[in-house]
Amino acid sequence: MQIRQNLQIRDIFMPVVFIGVLLINCIAPLQSGQAQAPMVPTIVVGTDGVAGEVGIWSMDPAGVNPPFLVLEIDGEPVPAGLVWSPTGEMLAFHTNLKDNIDVYSVNADGKNLRRLTEHEAEDSSPTWHPSGQKLAFATNRDGNFEIYTMTAQGNVGGNLTADAAPDIDPSWSPDGRKIAFSTKRGRTIADIYVMDSKGENLQNITNHKGQDIQPRWSPDGETLAWVSRRDGTGDIYIIDSDGENQRWVKSTEEKKDATWSPDGKSIASLSFPQGIFLYHAIDELGVGETLEADLKAAKNFLQILVLDKGRRARSPAWFDPAFPAPPFDVEPADKRPLTWGWIKNLGPRD
């Protein structure tokens, strides 16, 4: 009799559990789905803008539509280190809002500003893991700049670099296996290094007497771009991820803050001192040819935005819904329970 009663109770309980789980899985995305990716190609840049507002401005990469302010803040300096989350729903950046330079995130529409780090040291240069569940960033909270990790909610993890030399400018590879960064290890001028996601297996990508900083992975993970001052001005270089086949994107302008287009065919950067926003067509750089041959081909510059003289601008970041980030297999520890499998486990056993 007791067994039969238990079966009847379970027969009643199971549909309730099933409906409840479905409601949870339907409502949860609605609650957390307030952030939405842009529906059109978009470049954001941290600047004090055409009207003087300090914040994040959004622009049409083709330069057709005028820029508009996404987020206005009281920070100083202007927001920098802007990076899109893999799905384009959020932006991460660093700025000084609370007397310290910390890392923040915000929805793509400028809503739901969140302070991810809160430390008296400087936390900067965030980079998303392709799962969107964690970030790496640079911090001097140990007295020397190192590369740390944290969750997307701001729970700070471990120190990946732990070296006496300053390590800055992290950039996570699209497959999540490597992090490129800039460091002064063994030198007085910075070089580009690559390590695995645990901070091991270091590879020296550049080795030059000029300063090499701000490495950025191409969307397919096969190429690195960075900014170098080895020729006296800030120029963009690109190189295969194995450290071979270096190319030079040469122009007469001082450049910084290079970022790849989502299709991997162009690189956007900020040009100084004119404050002109330019991009460089990578498909015309003579890939595989000599460095000297590339100089003749690297002439294709398109002016996207001309900022008023005296305006400051930092860190362009490019998103295009037509070129979503490659799907990333989340580690089992990060997966949500498989709802249908869990429900079946509650069913009767033979």
Side-chain angles (χ1 to χ4, degrees):
M1 173 67 80
Q2 183 65 38
I3 295 177
R4 185 175 185 84
Q5 288 177 345
N6 289 342
L7 289 174
Q8 290 175 342
I9 292 173
R10 188 176 62 189
D11 290 342
I12 298 172
F13 176 71
M14 279 298 298
V16 174
V17 171
F18 181 77
I19 294 172
V21 171
L22 286 180
L23 287 174
I24 291 173
N25 281 270
C26 291
I27 294 173
L30 292 176
Q31 292 176 337
S32 61
Q34 300 301 316
Q36 294 184 347
M39 302 297 291
V40 296
T42 303
I43 289 179
V44 291
V45 62
T47 179
D48 50 7
V50 294
E53 298 95 334
V54 174
I56 299 173
W57 285 75
S58 179
M59 292 167 286
D60 175 359
V64 176
N65 300 309
F68 64 92
L69 188 65
V70 173
L71 175 68
E72 183 177 4
I73 63 175
D74 296 324
E76 179 65 34
V78 298
L82 272 69
V83 284
W84 290 98
S85 64
T87 59
E89 295 177 348
M90 291 189 293
L91 289 159
F93 61 96
H94 67 260
T95 191
N96 185 351
L97 285 178
K98 302 291 183 180
D99 299 325
N100 292 303
I101 295 179
D102 283 302
V103 176
Y104 292 79
S105 67
V106 68
N107 291 359
D109 60 3
K111 299 178 180 178
N112 196 19
L113 178 66
R114 299 171 292 274
R115 186 179 184 181
L116 298 183
T117 65
E118 187 171 354
H119 199 278
E120 60 185 9
E122 178 180 332
D123 298 331
S124 61
S125 305
T127 178
W128 291 92
H129 184 272
S131 68
Q133 297 183 353
K134 57 184 176 180
L135 303 96
F137 66 104
T139 178
N140 62 350
R141 58 184 61 201
D142 291 330
N144 174 53
F145 274 101
E146 306 283 3
I147 308 300
Y148 272 66
T149 61
M150 64 176 162
T151 66
Q153 292 72 41
N155 299 316
V156 175
N159 183 346
L160 295 180
T161 48
D163 190 84
D167 302 313
I168 59 174
D169 298 332
S171 178
W172 225 314
S173 64
D175 62 6
R177 296 180 179 179
K178 297 180 179 181
I179 297 176
F181 62 102
S182 178
T183 180
K184 292 185 178 180
R185 299 180 184 218
R187 303 176 63 87
T188 58
I189 301 296
D191 280 317
I192 304 301
Y193 274 63
V194 170
M195 61 182 173
D196 64 29
S197 60
K198 295 181 179 180
E200 302 171 348
N201 300 315
L202 267 69
Q203 180 185 5
N204 185 191
I205 298 297
T206 68
N207 187 2
H208 196 277
K209 62 181 180 180
Q211 184 185 56
D212 295 331
I213 58 174
Q214 299 176 345
R216 297 292 182 266
W217 293 92
S218 61
D220 60 9
E222 296 183 358
T223 310
L224 278 166
W226 75 95
V227 175
S228 177
R229 294 188 58 84
R230 60 183 63 185
D231 297 298
T233 60
D235 285 323
I236 298 173
Y237 281 73
I238 57 177
I239 197 168
D240 293 348
S241 58
D242 59 4
E244 301 294 331
N245 194 23
Q246 179 175 279
R247 284 92 76 197
W248 189 6
V249 184
K250 177 65 176 176
S251 78
T252 59
E253 310 289 348
E254 175 84 8
K255 295 180 294 297
K256 64 168 61 176
D257 295 345
T259 185
W260 290 87
S261 62
D263 63 5
K265 295 181 178 181
S266 304
I267 294 180
S269 67
L270 289 172
S271 175
F272 290 84
Q274 290 84 355
I276 300 175
F277 196 57
L278 305 169
Y279 78 71
H280 318 276
I282 295 303
D283 56 357
E284 295 190 8
L285 290 181
V287 174
E289 298 179 9
T290 64
L291 191 64
E292 291 76 15
D294 289 340
L295 293 179
K296 300 176 182 178
K299 302 292 185 181
N300 189 13
F301 303 138
L302 175 65
Q303 179 174 322
I304 297 178
L305 173 69
V306 179
L307 300 173
D308 294 342
K309 288 185 178 180
R311 301 298 185 193
R312 299 164 296 169
R314 291 297 309 273
S315 308
W318 201 331
F319 178 80
D320 190 336
F323 296 92
F328 182 83
D329 293 330
V330 181
E331 297 175 1
D334 295 328
K335 285 185 178 179
R336 297 175 63 185
L338 183 60
T339 304
W340 178 242
W342 181 71
I343 292 173
K344 288 196 298 183
N345 288 337
L346 294 177
R349 299 289 186 182
D350 293 334

PDB file of all heavy atoms in Angstrom, residues 55-80:
ATOM      1  N   GLY A  55      32.370  59.625 -22.330  1.00  0.00           N
ATOM      2  CA  GLY A  55      31.624  58.385 -22.319  1.00  0.00           C
ATOM      3  C   GLY A  55      31.983  57.507 -23.495  1.00  0.00           C
ATOM      4  O   GLY A  55      33.066  57.608 -24.068  1.00  0.00           O
ATOM      5  N   ILE A  56      31.065  56.646 -23.853  1.00  0.00           N
ATOM      6  CA  ILE A  56      31.252  55.701 -24.949  1.00  0.00           C
ATOM      7  C   ILE A  56      30.354  56.120 -26.104  1.00  0.00           C
ATOM      8  O   ILE A  56      29.132  56.237 -25.947  1.00  0.00           O
ATOM      9  CB  ILE A  56      30.913  54.273 -24.500  1.00  0.00           C
ATOM     10  CG1 ILE A  56      31.843  53.846 -23.350  1.00  0.00           C
ATOM     11  CG2 ILE A  56      31.040  53.300 -25.666  1.00  0.00           C
ATOM     12  CD1 ILE A  56      31.475  52.508 -22.737  1.00  0.00           C
ATOM     13  N   TRP A  57      30.978  56.353 -27.243  1.00  0.00           N
ATOM     14  CA  TRP A  57      30.244  56.754 -28.437  1.00  0.00           C
ATOM     15  C   TRP A  57      30.143  55.578 -29.403  1.00  0.00           C
ATOM     16  O   TRP A  57      31.069  54.784 -29.536  1.00  0.00           O
ATOM     17  CB  TRP A  57      30.932  57.933 -29.117  1.00  0.00           C
ATOM     18  CG  TRP A  57      30.707  59.230 -28.392  1.00  0.00           C
ATOM     19  CD1 TRP A  57      31.297  59.617 -27.217  1.00  0.00           C
ATOM     20  CD2 TRP A  57      29.826  60.282 -28.773  1.00  0.00           C
ATOM     21  NE1 TRP A  57      30.835  60.852 -26.846  1.00  0.00           N
ATOM     22  CE2 TRP A  57      29.929  61.295 -27.778  1.00  0.00           C
ATOM     23  CE3 TRP A  57      28.963  60.490 -29.841  1.00  0.00           C
ATOM     24  CZ2 TRP A  57      29.217  62.489 -27.833  1.00  0.00           C
ATOM     25  CZ3 TRP A  57      28.248  61.663 -29.905  1.00  0.00           C
ATOM     26  CH2 TRP A  57      28.372  62.651 -28.905  1.00  0.00           C
ATOM     27  N   SER A  58      29.008  55.494 -30.087  1.00  0.00           N
ATOM     28  CA  SER A  58      28.762  54.433 -31.038  1.00  0.00           C
ATOM     29  C   SER A  58      28.735  55.013 -32.446  1.00  0.00           C
ATOM     30  O   SER A  58      28.183  56.091 -32.666  1.00  0.00           O
ATOM     31  CB  SER A  58      27.423  53.747 -30.728  1.00  0.00           C
ATOM     32  OG  SER A  58      27.163  52.719 -31.657  1.00  0.00           O
ATOM     33  N   MET A  59      29.341  54.263 -33.380  1.00  0.00           N
ATOM     34  CA  MET A  59      29.471  54.776 -34.747  1.00  0.00           C
ATOM     35  C   MET A  59      29.178  53.704 -35.774  1.00  0.00           C
ATOM     36  O   MET A  59      29.379  52.515 -35.530  1.00  0.00           O
ATOM     37  CB  MET A  59      30.889  55.315 -34.969  1.00  0.00           C
ATOM     38  CG  MET A  59      31.205  56.561 -34.184  1.00  0.00           C
ATOM     39  SD  MET A  59      32.986  56.900 -34.196  1.00  0.00           S
ATOM     40  CE  MET A  59      33.553  55.645 -33.065  1.00  0.00           C
ATOM     41  N   ASP A  60      28.736  54.127 -36.908  1.00  0.00           N
ATOM     42  CA  ASP A  60      28.559  53.279 -38.074  1.00  0.00           C
ATOM     43  C   ASP A  60      29.927  53.091 -38.727  1.00  0.00           C
ATOM     44  O   ASP A  60      30.571  54.075 -39.110  1.00  0.00           O
ATOM     45  CB  ASP A  60      27.581  53.975 -39.025  1.00  0.00           C
ATOM     46  CG  ASP A  60      27.403  53.246 -40.340  1.00  0.00           C
ATOM     47  OD1 ASP A  60      28.045  52.202 -40.549  1.00  0.00           O
ATOM     48  OD2 ASP A  60      26.623  53.725 -41.178  1.00  0.00           O
ATOM     49  N   PRO A  61      30.413  51.846 -38.871  1.00  0.00           N
ATOM     50  CA  PRO A  61      31.740  51.643 -39.472  1.00  0.00           C
ATOM     51  C   PRO A  61      31.875  52.241 -40.870  1.00  0.00           C
ATOM     52  O   PRO A  61      32.974  52.585 -41.289  1.00  0.00           O
ATOM     53  CB  PRO A  61      31.890  50.122 -39.507  1.00  0.00           C
ATOM     54  CG  PRO A  61      30.967  49.623 -38.455  1.00  0.00           C
ATOM     55  CD  PRO A  61      29.809  50.579 -38.445  1.00  0.00           C
ATOM     56  N   ALA A  62      30.764  52.360 -41.597  1.00  0.00           N
ATOM     57  CA  ALA A  62      30.825  52.924 -42.943  1.00  0.00           C
ATOM     58  C   ALA A  62      30.835  54.448 -42.917  1.00  0.00           C
ATOM     59  O   ALA A  62      30.997  55.087 -43.953  1.00  0.00           O
ATOM     60  CB  ALA A  62      29.645  52.438 -43.771  1.00  0.00           C
ATOM     61  N   GLY A  63      30.642  55.053 -41.753  1.00  0.00           N
ATOM     62  CA  GLY A  63      30.666  56.501 -41.655  1.00  0.00           C
ATOM     63  C   GLY A  63      29.429  57.170 -42.209  1.00  0.00           C
ATOM     64  O   GLY A  63      29.425  58.368 -42.457  1.00  0.00           O
ATOM     65  N   VAL A  64      28.336  56.411 -42.423  1.00  0.00           N
ATOM     66  CA  VAL A  64      27.122  56.978 -43.010  1.00  0.00           C
ATOM     67  C   VAL A  64      26.290  57.695 -41.960  1.00  0.00           C
ATOM     68  O   VAL A  64      25.851  58.829 -42.153  1.00  0.00           O
ATOM     69  CB  VAL A  64      26.290  55.875 -43.689  1.00  0.00           C
ATOM     70  CG1 VAL A  64      24.979  56.440 -44.207  1.00  0.00           C
ATOM     71  CG2 VAL A  64      27.099  55.227 -44.811  1.00  0.00           C
ATOM     72  N   ASN A  65      26.074  57.032 -40.835  1.00  0.00           N
ATOM     73  CA  ASN A  65      25.260  57.608 -39.774  1.00  0.00           C
ATOM     74  C   ASN A  65      26.132  58.333 -38.761  1.00  0.00           C
ATOM     75  O   ASN A  65      27.251  57.900 -38.474  1.00  0.00           O
ATOM     76  CB  ASN A  65      24.450  56.516 -39.075  1.00  0.00           C
ATOM     77  CG  ASN A  65      23.514  55.798 -40.019  1.00  0.00           C
ATOM     78  OD1 ASN A  65      22.757  56.435 -40.738  1.00  0.00           O
ATOM     79  ND2 ASN A  65      23.570  54.477 -40.026  1.00  0.00           N
ATOM     80  N   PRO A  66      25.659  59.447 -38.201  1.00  0.00           N
ATOM     81  CA  PRO A  66      26.462  60.196 -37.239  1.00  0.00           C
ATOM     82  C   PRO A  66      26.639  59.417 -35.939  1.00  0.00           C
ATOM     83  O   PRO A  66      25.790  58.601 -35.580  1.00  0.00           O
ATOM     84  CB  PRO A  66      25.642  61.472 -37.012  1.00  0.00           C
ATOM     85  CG  PRO A  66      24.243  61.068 -37.323  1.00  0.00           C
ATOM     86  CD  PRO A  66      24.346  60.062 -38.430  1.00  0.00           C
ATOM     87  N   PRO A  67      27.738  59.636 -35.220  1.00  0.00           N
ATOM     88  CA  PRO A  67      27.944  58.942 -33.942  1.00  0.00           C
ATOM     89  C   PRO A  67      26.946  59.406 -32.895  1.00  0.00           C
ATOM     90  O   PRO A  67      26.425  60.524 -32.957  1.00  0.00           O
ATOM     91  CB  PRO A  67      29.377  59.335 -33.563  1.00  0.00           C
ATOM     92  CG  PRO A  67      29.609  60.635 -34.256  1.00  0.00           C
ATOM     93  CD  PRO A  67      28.841  60.562 -35.534  1.00  0.00           C
ATOM     94  N   PHE A  68      26.643  58.536 -31.940  1.00  0.00           N
ATOM     95  CA  PHE A  68      25.755  58.913 -30.838  1.00  0.00           C
ATOM     96  C   PHE A  68      26.298  58.329 -29.539  1.00  0.00           C
ATOM     97  O   PHE A  68      27.019  57.336 -29.521  1.00  0.00           O
ATOM     98  CB  PHE A  68      24.320  58.438 -31.084  1.00  0.00           C
ATOM     99  CG  PHE A  68      24.160  56.941 -31.139  1.00  0.00           C
ATOM    100  CD1 PHE A  68      23.859  56.213 -29.998  1.00  0.00           C
ATOM    101  CD2 PHE A  68      24.285  56.269 -32.348  1.00  0.00           C
ATOM    102  CE1 PHE A  68      23.717  54.843 -30.054  1.00  0.00           C
ATOM    103  CE2 PHE A  68      24.132  54.894 -32.412  1.00  0.00           C
ATOM    104  CZ  PHE A  68      23.849  54.175 -31.261  1.00  0.00           C
ATOM    105  N   LEU A  69      25.948  58.963 -28.441  1.00  0.00           N
ATOM    106  CA  LEU A  69      26.457  58.599 -27.130  1.00  0.00           C
ATOM    107  C   LEU A  69      25.695  57.409 -26.567  1.00  0.00           C
ATOM    108  O   LEU A  69      24.470  57.421 -26.464  1.00  0.00           O
ATOM    109  CB  LEU A  69      26.340  59.786 -26.170  1.00  0.00           C
ATOM    110  CG  LEU A  69      27.000  59.649 -24.806  1.00  0.00           C
ATOM    111  CD1 LEU A  69      28.505  59.537 -24.940  1.00  0.00           C
ATOM    112  CD2 LEU A  69      26.639  60.849 -23.928  1.00  0.00           C
ATOM    113  N   VAL A  70      26.418  56.353 -26.219  1.00  0.00           N
ATOM    114  CA  VAL A  70      25.820  55.171 -25.605  1.00  0.00           C
ATOM    115  C   VAL A  70      25.798  55.312 -24.093  1.00  0.00           C
ATOM    116  O   VAL A  70      24.800  55.022 -23.434  1.00  0.00           O
ATOM    117  CB  VAL A  70      26.608  53.896 -25.997  1.00  0.00           C
ATOM    118  CG1 VAL A  70      26.102  52.679 -25.226  1.00  0.00           C
ATOM    119  CG2 VAL A  70      26.498  53.653 -27.490  1.00  0.00           C
ATOM    120  N   LEU A  71      26.896  55.769 -23.512  1.00  0.00           N
ATOM    121  CA  LEU A  71      27.009  55.866 -22.059  1.00  0.00           C
ATOM    122  C   LEU A  71      27.747  57.135 -21.686  1.00  0.00           C
ATOM    123  O   LEU A  71      28.872  57.359 -22.137  1.00  0.00           O
ATOM    124  CB  LEU A  71      27.756  54.654 -21.505  1.00  0.00           C
ATOM    125  CG  LEU A  71      28.050  54.677 -20.002  1.00  0.00           C
ATOM    126  CD1 LEU A  71      26.766  54.559 -19.194  1.00  0.00           C
ATOM    127  CD2 LEU A  71      29.021  53.562 -19.632  1.00  0.00           C
ATOM    128  N   GLU A  72      27.135  57.971 -20.890  1.00  0.00           N
ATOM    129  CA  GLU A  72      27.789  59.175 -20.386  1.00  0.00           C
ATOM    130  C   GLU A  72      28.210  58.932 -18.943  1.00  0.00           C
ATOM    131  O   GLU A  72      27.413  58.485 -18.124  1.00  0.00           O
ATOM    132  CB  GLU A  72      26.851  60.369 -20.447  1.00  0.00           C
ATOM    133  CG  GLU A  72      27.514  61.673 -19.996  1.00  0.00           C
ATOM    134  CD  GLU A  72      26.588  62.870 -20.130  1.00  0.00           C
ATOM    135  OE1 GLU A  72      25.414  62.672 -20.509  1.00  0.00           O
ATOM    136  OE2 GLU A  72      27.042  63.991 -19.846  1.00  0.00           O
ATOM    137  N   ILE A  73      29.469  59.224 -18.631  1.00  0.00           N
ATOM    138  CA  ILE A  73      29.983  59.014 -17.287  1.00  0.00           C
ATOM    139  C   ILE A  73      30.757  60.250 -16.843  1.00  0.00           C
ATOM    140  O   ILE A  73      31.061  61.138 -17.640  1.00  0.00           O
ATOM    141  CB  ILE A  73      30.892  57.770 -17.207  1.00  0.00           C
ATOM    142  CG1 ILE A  73      32.136  57.951 -18.099  1.00  0.00           C
ATOM    143  CG2 ILE A  73      30.140  56.513 -17.600  1.00  0.00           C
ATOM    144  CD1 ILE A  73      33.132  56.827 -17.977  1.00  0.00           C
ATOM    145  N   ASP A  74      31.096  60.276 -15.568  1.00  0.00           N
ATOM    146  CA  ASP A  74      31.877  61.377 -15.017  1.00  0.00           C
ATOM    147  C   ASP A  74      33.337  60.991 -14.835  1.00  0.00           C
ATOM    148  O   ASP A  74      34.062  61.603 -14.061  1.00  0.00           O
ATOM    149  CB  ASP A  74      31.289  61.813 -13.662  1.00  0.00           C
ATOM    150  CG  ASP A  74      29.888  62.365 -13.812  1.00  0.00           C
ATOM    151  OD1 ASP A  74      29.636  63.025 -14.838  1.00  0.00           O
ATOM    152  OD2 ASP A  74      29.057  62.128 -12.926  1.00  0.00           O
ATOM    153  N   GLY A  75      33.739  59.930 -15.509  1.00  0.00           N
ATOM    154  CA  GLY A  75      35.083  59.394 -15.307  1.00  0.00           C
ATOM    155  C   GLY A  75      36.168  60.255 -15.910  1.00  0.00           C
ATOM    156  O   GLY A  75      35.952  61.072 -16.796  1.00  0.00           O
ATOM    157  N   GLU A  76      37.358  60.086 -15.394  1.00  0.00           N
ATOM    158  CA  GLU A  76      38.544  60.760 -15.918  1.00  0.00           C
ATOM    159  C   GLU A  76      39.717  59.802 -15.724  1.00  0.00           C
ATOM    160  O   GLU A  76      39.983  59.373 -14.599  1.00  0.00           O
ATOM    161  CB  GLU A  76      38.803  62.049 -15.151  1.00  0.00           C
ATOM    162  CG  GLU A  76      40.025  62.816 -15.596  1.00  0.00           C
ATOM    163  CD  GLU A  76      39.909  63.337 -17.016  1.00  0.00           C
ATOM    164  OE1 GLU A  76      38.793  63.688 -17.426  1.00  0.00           O
ATOM    165  OE2 GLU A  76      40.946  63.381 -17.693  1.00  0.00           O
ATOM    166  N   PRO A  77      40.389  59.336 -16.724  1.00  0.00           N
ATOM    167  CA  PRO A  77      40.251  59.774 -18.111  1.00  0.00           C
ATOM    168  C   PRO A  77      39.056  59.109 -18.801  1.00  0.00           C
ATOM    169  O   PRO A  77      38.269  58.432 -18.145  1.00  0.00           O
ATOM    170  CB  PRO A  77      41.565  59.306 -18.737  1.00  0.00           C
ATOM    171  CG  PRO A  77      41.914  58.079 -17.966  1.00  0.00           C
ATOM    172  CD  PRO A  77      41.468  58.351 -16.556  1.00  0.00           C
ATOM    173  N   VAL A  78      38.964  59.313 -20.112  1.00  0.00           N
ATOM    174  CA  VAL A  78      37.850  58.749 -20.858  1.00  0.00           C
ATOM    175  C   VAL A  78      37.908  57.221 -20.795  1.00  0.00           C
ATOM    176  O   VAL A  78      38.964  56.633 -20.558  1.00  0.00           O
ATOM    177  CB  VAL A  78      37.865  59.220 -22.326  1.00  0.00           C
ATOM    178  CG1 VAL A  78      37.724  60.728 -22.411  1.00  0.00           C
ATOM    179  CG2 VAL A  78      39.135  58.768 -23.037  1.00  0.00           C
ATOM    180  N   PRO A  79      36.778  56.540 -20.996  1.00  0.00           N
ATOM    181  CA  PRO A  79      36.785  55.075 -20.990  1.00  0.00           C
ATOM    182  C   PRO A  79      37.782  54.523 -22.000  1.00  0.00           C
ATOM    183  O   PRO A  79      37.875  55.007 -23.128  1.00  0.00           O
ATOM    184  CB  PRO A  79      35.344  54.718 -21.371  1.00  0.00           C
ATOM    185  CG  PRO A  79      34.541  55.904 -20.993  1.00  0.00           C
ATOM    186  CD  PRO A  79      35.433  57.086 -21.226  1.00  0.00           C
ATOM    187  N   ALA A  80      38.533  53.515 -21.592  1.00  0.00           N
ATOM    188  CA  ALA A  80      39.542  52.912 -22.460  1.00  0.00           C
ATOM    189  C   ALA A  80      39.480  51.396 -22.315  1.00  0.00           C
ATOM    190  O   ALA A  80      38.806  50.869 -21.436  1.00  0.00           O
ATOM    191  CB  ALA A  80      40.933  53.436 -22.113  1.00  0.00           C
TER     192      ALA A  80
END
